[in-house]
Amino acid sequence: MASAVSENTTNRVYIASDEFGWLPAKVISTNGTNATVQVKDYEQDLQIPACEVSHALGRSSSSSASPSTLTKRHEKIVATKELNVDVSSKAYSDGVLPLQNVDQDGKLVQVEDMVDLGFLHEPAILYNLKARHSQGIPYTRTGDIVIAVNPYQWIDELYTEEMRNFYAEKLVWDSVSQDLDPKSHVEPHVYETSSLAYRGLAVDGQNQSILVSGESGAGKTETVKILMSHLASIQSKNNQVVKSDIVERVLDSNPLLEAFGNAKTVRNDNSSRFGKFIQLQFDTEDPTYAAFSGKSIPSAVLAGSKCETYLLEKSRVVSHEEEERTYHIFYQLLAAPDNVKSTFWDGLSGKGNEEFAYVGYTDTDTIEGETDANRFQHTLEALSVVGVEGEHLRDLMRALCIVLQLGNLTFGPDPYNEENAIITSNGELEKLADLMGIQTDVVRKALTERTVSARNEVFKVPLNVEKAKDSCDAFAKEIYSNTFDWLVNTINEATCAETNYKENPKCDFGLIGLLDIFGFESFAVNRFEQLCINYANEKLQQKFTLDIFRSVQLEYEYEGIELGEVTYKDNADVLTLIEGRMGLISVLNEECVRPKGNDNAFVTKISAVNKDSEVLFRDRFFQDWEFGIKHYAGAVVYDANNFVTKNMDTLPDDLNECRKESSNSIVSAEIVRNIGSGRPKTPASTKRPDLLKKKSSIVSATVWTKFKNQLTELMANISETRTRYIRCVKPNTMKQPRIMQHLSTVEQLRCAGVVAAVTISRSSFPNRLLHEQVLERFMCLDKSYSRTHPNGDSSQIMEDVNELLSRILKSLEVEKDDGKVVKGFVCGKTRAYFRAGSLEYLENKRILAFGDLAKDIQRVVRGFVARTKYQKLRNTAIFIQAQVRRNAARQQFILMRDASITLQCWSRSIYARAKLVQLKRHERATRIQTAHRTAVALKKFRKLRAAAIKIQACARGARQRPLYRAALAEAIEEAKLENQLKMLQKKLEEAEARRIEAEKRAEEGKTVVVYKDGNDKNDDSTQNQPSRPTGAAQLSAHQQTLMDESGKMLEYLRKEVFKLRSQNSQLRADFELLKENNQRLMDANASAGASFAALNQHAKQLSKTNIKLKEDVAKYKKESHHLSMAQIELKEELKMKQGTYIAEVHSRLSYQKAMMNIVDLIQEKCTNHQLVEQVLALSDECESNYMNGPTGVDFTPTKNRKSSGINISSPGINIQGAQSLAGRFKSFLFSD
């Protein structure tokens, strides 16, 4: 047991790893500078736990664990291995392995303030942060430094209104004793930093600064927003504050800067591409006046803010990596609705990202859960809050359109001179000129020519294609930078307290500065921008180091320890190299002034001038343009290409004049930064604007010089304030919550200066423990020691600790030349501080002491094992005896149970056979009854069906006979009319034929017979025979007489013929007239006859239909009356049956429940199984009789035969079937 405790506390260490930074391990043995450790063979960071012991709890101590023991972690088996570690390497300070901070059980000791760690070193910081991050706790404290690990998720409970009020109450408004640290009452949080800064301003009257740093994606911007929101909410006790327009402007200014200064990068979707220093201005209350008012804490009201920006990444305007984006505002503008875009510029309507070369394709349209279109709406609202509306808003957006349009210009060689460049996209050029409000030729010449002055002469020098494109890009960068500066100036004018705070505009405002600056950067290729950023971090690190030294000084003074022994490493040599007399800034500025200055010459000069510097290095494998600097966070190799060009960063006069001629007020304005005020200003505020125009670009201030002046002014402002630090850490590159990658996190801790702070605080005393921990851990090393004051106060406990450590560390005392003895420890008021090697010495002695105590423990354990073995044997004998008796009794019980079961089976079988016979008889009877009922029902059904068929036949006959007679009479009448019509037509045709024959005969000169007897058959031959001449001798008298009469008759006939011919002519004329009239009459008669027949037929049909409808109406009325009466009767009958059914159901349920209770009671109380079986049979029979009793309600389901319309399952009359039959009969009678 003692060995297990020692294993869990003193042999758990960390070892350095090239792949994972630091790994937890267990020391197996040590031999001088070498140590053998056991470590798990992890494959990735996800497998490494913050504490390995927590996964091994509950295992038996007697298990035979070997070095290859496998441990399950993240569903994967991890093997262990043994390694030999050289503890004399540079990774291990003082030649010892860093110990883990674990308790007696081997679990990791987590602390909120890492100053409280017993073993404070780099791996201890790493694993403490990892343990808290894996639990969703993003904030940890190291003295006055708050380390914020990006959780990659919004944790609601950390940022509620109650949490804001809690920190404000605890750290601002509550009166805390000066002897206690106010941070000890709360957990680490950024609200802690903001609350202490507010209290320092309101109570102490000292301006405050909060420095937020970290690499891209670590959460700096979000942390600054949280700080600003909290500082704006702390106005008075209980946060009873009235919102004002100034507070709204201050809070809305940050999203505006994000829109114009943030972009998506590989590391972060919302990365700030500039640095900013926001000074919140507070109207602080005079302490004396507050005391007279009864206030214990003076109030401070947010009155305004000022903002200073640094190093905007202008190169991102014209180019960016494929997976990155340019600034958010361009995507927001292009994602706006067309009706909004057309108000700024018609050329934006219908255009997307791919239509503009500077923007290009992107697969990202959502940043932090919000689309670009929604963000643009928020940007417009924020611009409105700071006063950018109307023409100013239009000019601002058109300035962005000018930048976009410059990217669409294309250049090509001049056909007449290939060395000169021309603009090949004339359409895009015209759009650009229209946007700028100047002529097209002015823009073309400004982009393709350069004005060169030499010996009081001015020349126009054409540019080639490459230089023209570079000139276009430089113009776009300058316009965007000018626009960004104008926006910062506008925000400052809208938020500064001097012009916007009306309550007390002449007061001396207190300041709380928030610095959101880029962290230390080291990439594969580091350029001019990285050098400027790292230079700024060196300046901040110097300030940070001094502040840490001051905090260590205060701690040692509080603990009563001499300060002369504290040493730390300064970075003054790096700053001297950069900003010294012959440093990098001076040499680079000299190269910018020199006519033929170049990047290689700059590298050569700094190497020659600073060859004695220890922080500047050049490897023999370096290129001519490469050099390296040993920064505080590590060595960085820089690529000096384009250093001279980027440092000058001057816009040619041609482009500058073109910009000034623009009608856009933002583009044409010349914004000049005022370093002292932190705000840009226009040339109107300068003394000699005419000299500014004539000033040469060569002697103007370079980028690095401007940045140095800004940085110097910033450091001067910060040095006058109480500075607080927040270090943001990016735990992993996958942007996943609760995962930490070791190498990148350790690198960030080094770059953030956290490790340097630990080094300073532990330079003289690397380890420290609380007094109670010292007594608890090391009292076992001196058996003769006993505490003098077991329950004493802090001073008496310090005396006990001093006495104990003086005894056990006597061998480590060193006597100096002056006779003064230096002990291996120093006792403070609350902690014991150990010199290098002292705590390790005590831990080793503790292991040996545990070994001495192991023998006593083993003796006790052996006695316990022997007694336990005897007790087990005795208990085993008793158990065996009990089992033997139990088996005998069980055998007898089994025999009796088998016999009783046999008897029960025999009785049940007899009863079952009788029951089977009864069931078979019941089944046969049921079948007979079923067959009988079926036959009766079928007979009744057939009889009803025959009656229905007969009724239907009679009904159909009665209906069809009158119809047939009427139809037959109509047919006879129609046949007569048709015969008469045919006879008339025949007679007409015969008359027509006779007329035609008469005309023919009349034309031939024959006699026309007007009247013709039906009996004369040869009238024509008789009347038309010609006279035959005969002689007188041949004729008799009678014949003569006849001749005479014939002559007279012929004469008469001639007269009659003449008369008839005249009449014939007259009749012919009349006949023609009659013929014509007859034809007309025939046509009219045929039409009238057809119409009459149709009308007559229709009238008859209408009459029949009317009669039928009247009869149907009468029948339907009568039937409706009968149906309504039947329906009422059915409803009443259904209600009666429903009540009967419900009552029967309740009765049945009650009966079943009572029967079940009776049966259950009999089964439980009765021991006669045969009687129980008889009772069960009687219960089933009673239930069957009850269910089919004389109630008239059948509970069995019935099946309706829908095809016949008769429900044979119901014993009564089926009204539904009767209604169906009546309906069929009516449908037959009244069907069309």
Side-chain angles (χ1 to χ4, degrees), residues 29-270:
S29 63
T30 58
N31 183 14
T33 59
N34 293 326
T36 303
V37 298
Q38 186 183 76
V39 63
K40 292 185 179 180
D41 191 9
Y42 297 109
E43 296 180 359
Q44 53 183 346
D45 293 296
L46 299 178
Q47 295 177 288
I48 306 175
C51 179
E52 292 180 331
V53 176
S54 60
H55 299 276
L57 292 178
R59 295 182 180 178
S60 176
S61 60
S62 61
S63 62
S64 57
S66 62
S68 60
T69 303
L70 300 179
T71 305
K72 188 173 183 181
R73 173 69 176 169
H74 285 283
E75 303 298 334
K76 193 168 184 179
I77 302 301
V78 180
T80 59
K81 60 182 179 180
E82 293 185 2
L83 295 178
N84 291 323
V85 180
D86 183 11
V87 297
S88 62
S89 63
K90 295 181 180 180
Y92 308 106
S93 59
D94 300 327
V96 293
L97 295 176
L99 295 174
Q100 297 183 23
N101 293 282
V102 294
D103 58 11
Q104 297 292 336
D105 297 326
K107 295 181 180 179
L108 183 70
V109 177
Q110 300 180 32
V111 294
E112 298 174 352
D113 192 341
M114 289 190 288
V115 173
D116 297 331
L117 288 173
F119 309 107
L120 184 57
H121 38 66
E122 185 176 277
I125 295 174
L126 172 66
Y127 279 86
N128 190 72
L129 292 176
K130 181 170 185 174
R132 293 174 63 81
H133 177 64
S134 62
Q135 299 172 7
I137 306 174
Y139 299 115
T140 309
R141 188 188 303 117
T142 302
D144 291 336
I145 309 170
V146 174
I147 301 176
V149 181
N150 193 342
Y152 288 117
Q153 59 182 350
W154 185 260
I155 306 175
D156 293 330
E157 57 269 19
L158 288 180
Y159 309 104
T160 60
E161 191 68 27
E162 292 76 8
M163 189 65 69
R164 292 185 180 186
N165 296 339
F166 173 76
Y167 279 88
E169 289 291 332
K170 289 293 183 181
L171 300 179
V172 178
W173 307 116
D174 288 352
S175 299
V176 182
S177 175
Q178 296 296 326
D179 296 334
L180 298 177
D181 186 3
K183 300 190 297 296
S184 61
H185 299 277
V186 295
E187 295 182 357
H189 201 293
V190 290
Y191 289 164
E192 163 197 323
T193 305
S194 56
S195 299
L196 291 176
Y198 185 90
R199 181 182 177 88
L201 177 66
V203 177
D204 302 333
Q206 184 180 8
N207 292 335
Q208 306 285 313
S209 294
I210 302 176
L211 273 59
V212 183
S213 64
E215 74 169 35
S216 179
K220 301 187 299 297
T221 303
E222 194 65 31
T223 301
V224 170
K225 289 193 289 187
I226 294 172
L227 289 170
M228 288 181 63
S229 177
H230 191 222
L231 287 170
S233 66
I234 308 176
Q235 301 288 321
S236 61
K237 192 170 184 179
N238 297 325
N239 286 357
Q240 298 174 354
V241 59
V242 179
K243 293 185 178 179
S244 64
D245 294 338
I246 297 177
V247 175
E248 184 180 2
R249 293 174 192 171
V250 171
L251 296 179
D252 286 345
S253 64
N254 207 45
L256 272 182
L257 295 177
E258 282 189 29
F260 284 83
N262 287 24
K264 177 191 175 183
T265 64
V266 178
R267 298 183 176 183
N268 185 12
D269 289 346
N270 191 25

Side-chain angles (χ1 to χ4, degrees), residues 965-1083:
R965 294 190 190 98
L968 182 61
E970 289 178 1
I972 293 172
E973 185 179 355
E974 289 178 359
K976 289 179 180 181
L977 292 175
E978 288 180 359
N979 291 335
Q980 291 177 3
L981 183 60
K982 288 180 181 179
M983 290 177 65
L984 289 175
Q985 289 178 352
K986 185 176 181 181
K987 289 179 180 181
L988 184 61
E989 289 176 358
E990 290 177 355
E992 183 68 19
R994 285 196 301 269
R995 183 186 63 75
I996 295 172
E997 185 67 26
E999 289 179 357
K1000 288 182 181 180
R1001 289 179 180 179
E1003 289 176 358
E1004 293 176 358
K1006 295 181 181 182
T1007 303
V1008 178
V1009 179
V1010 179
Y1011 173 77
K1012 178 182 176 182
D1013 192 0
N1015 297 323
D1016 295 339
K1017 298 179 182 178
N1018 299 323
D1019 54 348
D1020 292 341
S1021 62
T1022 305
Q1023 295 179 7
N1024 294 330
Q1025 283 183 351
S1027 60
R1028 298 176 182 175
T1030 59
Q1034 298 176 353
L1035 300 173
S1036 63
H1038 180 66
Q1039 292 176 345
Q1040 188 64 37
T1041 302
L1042 291 174
M1043 288 293 294
D1044 291 337
E1045 290 179 1
S1046 297
K1048 291 179 183 179
M1049 188 173 290
L1050 287 172
E1051 186 65 26
Y1052 176 75
L1053 288 173
R1054 287 191 190 98
K1055 291 180 182 179
E1056 288 294 328
V1057 167
F1058 179 78
K1059 186 185 298 185
L1060 290 173
R1061 285 182 178 175
S1062 300
Q1063 291 178 359
N1064 187 27
S1065 299
Q1066 183 64 34
L1067 289 173
R1068 185 176 293 173
D1070 294 339
F1071 179 75
E1072 291 293 335
L1073 180 61
L1074 289 172
K1075 182 180 179 181
E1076 182 178 356
N1077 292 334
N1078 185 34
Q1079 184 65 33
R1080 292 178 181 175
L1081 289 173
M1082 288 176 65
D1083 295 339

Side-chain angles (χ1 to χ4, degrees), residues 787-992:
R787 294 186 61 176
T788 308
H789 310 91
N791 299 317
D793 56 12
S794 59
S795 60
Q796 293 174 339
I797 293 175
M798 184 179 69
E799 293 177 2
D800 293 343
V801 172
N802 191 13
E803 181 182 358
L804 173 63
L805 294 179
S806 298
R807 289 185 179 186
I808 58 181
L809 290 178
K810 185 71 174 180
S811 60
L812 297 182
E813 293 180 356
V814 177
E815 185 177 357
K816 293 185 177 180
D817 297 337
D818 56 358
K820 186 177 180 180
V821 177
V822 178
K823 297 182 179 181
F825 71 97
V826 174
C827 276
K829 293 180 180 179
T830 61
R831 292 180 175 88
Y833 294 81
F834 298 91
R835 300 187 188 277
S838 298
L839 188 59
E840 288 78 5
Y841 171 78
L842 292 177
E843 293 293 346
N844 289 330
K845 288 193 65 175
R846 189 163 175 257
I847 294 176
L848 297 177
F850 284 150
D852 295 337
L853 295 174
K855 295 177 182 179
D856 296 335
I857 296 173
Q858 290 172 0
R859 175 179 56 80
V860 175
V861 169
R862 290 190 185 99
F864 173 76
V865 170
R867 283 190 298 273
T868 303
K869 185 177 180 181
Y870 167 74
Q871 193 69 27
K872 285 183 178 180
L873 290 173
R874 181 174 177 273
N875 293 337
T876 303
I878 296 173
F879 176 76
I880 292 172
Q881 294 172 1
Q883 288 295 321
V884 171
R885 296 189 186 97
R886 172 183 172 276
N887 290 336
R890 182 171 179 79
Q891 289 297 329
Q892 186 178 2
F893 166 75
I894 291 174
L895 290 175
M896 295 179 66
R897 185 183 63 182
D898 293 342
S900 62
I901 291 174
T902 303
L903 293 175
Q904 292 174 5
C905 290
W906 176 75
S907 63
R908 288 194 188 99
S909 63
I910 294 174
Y911 176 77
R913 280 193 293 271
K915 184 67 175 179
L916 178 60
V917 172
Q918 183 182 1
L919 290 176
K920 286 182 178 180
R921 293 181 63 188
H922 180 71
E923 182 185 4
R924 293 189 186 101
T926 303
R927 289 181 181 178
I928 293 171
Q929 292 173 2
T930 303
H932 175 69
R933 291 190 186 99
T934 303
V936 172
L938 287 175
K939 184 178 179 180
K940 184 178 180 180
F941 166 70
R942 292 191 183 100
K943 185 177 179 181
L944 291 174
R945 184 175 63 180
I949 292 172
K950 189 173 182 179
I951 293 171
Q952 292 174 359
C954 293
R956 291 193 185 97
R959 179 186 177 190
Q960 291 297 329
R961 277 191 292 274
L963 296 177
Y964 173 74
R965 294 190 190 98
L968 182 61
E970 289 178 1
I972 293 172
E973 185 179 355
E974 289 178 359
K976 289 179 180 181
L977 292 175
E978 288 180 359
N979 291 335
Q980 291 177 3
L981 183 60
K982 288 180 181 179
M983 290 177 65
L984 289 175
Q985 289 178 352
K986 185 176 181 181
K987 289 179 180 181
L988 184 61
E989 289 176 358
E990 290 177 355
E992 183 68 19

